[in-house]
Amino acid sequence: MTLKVGIVGVGNIGSIHASVYHENPLTEIVAVCDIDQTKADAAAAKYGVNAFYSVNEMLDSKIELHLVSVCTKGEENGSEHFDPTIQLLNAGIPVLGEKPISNQIEQGRQMVELARTNRVPYAINLNHRFTPAAEKAKEWVLDQRLGKLHMINMRMWINNPVEISPWFHLRALHPHSFDVMRYFCGDVKRVAAFMMKGEGRSIWSNTQIILEFENGTIGNLVGSYDAGASYGLERCEVVGSKGRFVLEDACEQLSYYPRNSIETETYSYLGGMRSFSETFKSRIDHYINQLRSGTAYDEISGSGEDALKAQMIIEAAIESWETGQIVEVKNTLSVTGGKI
């Protein structure tokens, strides 16, 4: 069955989503929606579909939708996700949202709870985990090639001069970092954060965050909005009792180093993936395949719940820096009184 797709928010990121759906033979774009009528009309003309200027208008039209990408933005890149997502989940329509799930934790909780209550698949574009290299590394973890996990070191940084809020760097960039760390090592138990402002900055543009995971693994995140392009985007190292892997820039290179041997195993551009831009296609295609195969709402990869857990780590890190304390992440992960 061809999935009929709508896209809410057709700016830069929404246009990337649209191009992926347009190229996928298993999907058909049938609606675009944006409060900016000029953007909506331009996208509608490009794809030969209906333009809508609000989600209510799109839903009231009774157009058939099997999936909607919510690519709105707002403060800290997350404040405009809530209303359209709630409207779509209430209508029983699966959603693929952009990160962060929300810059307001209570809104994130409500979206996750609604998806769970209505049993609707709800995913977030946590695209850094959806690469052949990351999936191969995950196989190594599950197959015990690393043995018992000891440490994870994550680095993610870009050059972003934007000054939106004190926590813009944390809330907008590091949902990806913490999702990757959770993907390999599970839930985080405690964090301690340190931050600094780069020269001329008003926001906390650099951070080092120490983490303890529920399974006993320890790790750290190095993050920055003051990095140069020559630094690369990211690097993830996971160390265990039997070996370690190093994953460079999500998709470019993956290497395995056994603890007691000098023979290493290296993959460059695993699966033919050459650049980060291709991760949008791999992530969106994965969600399409899960919907078409009937994957249960609570078994979706890169789910709203995954994104909420990543955001909760960020909020705990902010609390740690503000209070100078080690913060228990589990104390902030309650949803209507229960732990996620």
Side-chain angles (χ1 to χ4, degrees), residues 9-12 15 32-46 51-53:
V10 286
N12 178 49
S15 297
V32 294
C33 176
D34 202 298
I35 58 174
D36 185 327
Q37 296 189 17
T38 300
K39 289 182 179 179
D41 290 344
K46 180 176 182 179
F52 299 96
Y53 312 123

Side-chain angles (χ1 to χ4, degrees), residues 40 53 74 93 135 148 173 178 184 202 207 213 243 256 266 275 308:
Y53 312 123
I93 299 171
E135 290 169 355
K148 178 177 172 56
L173 180 63
F178 289 126
F184 293 125
S202 63
T207 192
F213 291 78
Y256 173 75
T266 299
S275 66
L308 178 59

Side-chain angles (χ1 to χ4, degrees), residues 35 44 96 110 163 212 214 271 283 301 309-310:
I35 58 174
L96 173 62
Q110 290 181 47
E163 301 269 315
E212 179 187 17
E214 294 281 2
R283 196 284 168 263
S301 304
K309 286 187 175 184

Side-chain angles (χ1 to χ4, degrees), residues 117-173:
T117 298
N118 290 356
R119 304 172 72 87
V120 178
Y122 176 32
I124 301 294
N125 184 27
L126 300 168
N127 49 325
H128 291 239
R129 67 158 75 182
F130 291 94
T131 72
E135 290 169 355
K136 171 65 74 173
K138 179 72 169 182
E139 288 178 14
W140 289 345
V141 171
L142 295 176
D143 291 344
Q144 295 292 308
R145 289 198 67 188
L146 275 68
K148 178 177 172 56
L149 299 185
H150 290 172
M151 294 181 288
I152 179 169
N153 301 308
M154 183 78 191
R155 182 192 70 210
M156 189 173 293
W157 50 24
I158 63 173
N159 180 34
N160 188 342
V162 176
E163 301 269 315
I164 291 179
S165 76
W167 312 114
F168 176 53
H169 163 226
L170 274 294
R171 289 178 176 149
L173 180 63

Side-chain angles (χ1 to χ4, degrees), residues 47 66 95 141 171 300 308:
Y47 295 108
H66 302 132
V95 171
V141 171
R171 289 178 176 149
I300 294 297
L308 178 59

Side-chain angles (χ1 to χ4, degrees), residues 12 18 42 49 58 66-67 76 88 95 98 119 124 157 167 214 245 248 259 279 290 299 308 312 319:
N12 178 49
V49 300
M58 183 172 68
H66 302 132
L67 160 64
E76 297 172 329
L88 292 163
V95 171
E98 268 299 327
R119 304 172 72 87
I124 301 294
W157 50 24
W167 312 114
E214 294 281 2
F245 73 72
E248 298 280 358
R259 180 176 179 180
T279 65
Q290 285 198 306
E299 295 180 0
L308 178 59
M312 288 295 189
E319 181 183 343

Side-chain angles (χ1 to χ4, degrees), residues 78-90:
S79 65
E80 295 176 356
H81 297 165
F82 179 73
D83 287 340
T85 300
I86 290 292
Q87 290 169 302
L88 292 163
L89 292 175
N90 270 324

